[in-house]
Amino acid sequence: MFRHFFHTKRKIVIELNERYFDKNSFMHAVVQHLKNEGKQCEMIDVNTLLVDGKKYYLYETNVAATYCPPVQRAVLTEMN
């Protein structure tokens, strides 16, 4: 489902192997991935997740590649 997972101090980036065309499926896939990684995760609203007690804003990006389809990424940025 997911290619790899990395994070910095205030940002989590997840690359997806599958494409999600609606926000609800996208959010549920990200929540499930984070739970599989051992994190406590729940949806607050369509753009906000609570991960290990911290609020994150979730948005989607697409990274174009030369010889393959674009890669969909979930980017979670910590909110103050």
Side-chain angles (χ1 to χ4, degrees), residues 69-80:
V71 175
Q72 188 177 32
R73 284 185 179 166
V75 181
L76 289 85
T77 305
E78 188 177 341
M79 301 168 66
N80 293 330

Side-chain angles (χ1 to χ4, degrees), residues 18-45:
E18 296 178 32
R19 294 211 50 86
Y20 297 91
F21 296 101
D22 65 278
K23 185 74 170 188
N24 197 32
S25 297
F26 180 70
M27 287 285 284
H28 285 291
V30 171
V31 168
Q32 188 60 47
H33 174 72
L34 291 169
K35 285 182 177 181
N36 290 344
E37 290 286 318
K39 308 254 185 230
Q40 291 182 357
C41 183
E42 63 183 83
M43 289 174 40
I44 295 174
D45 60 33

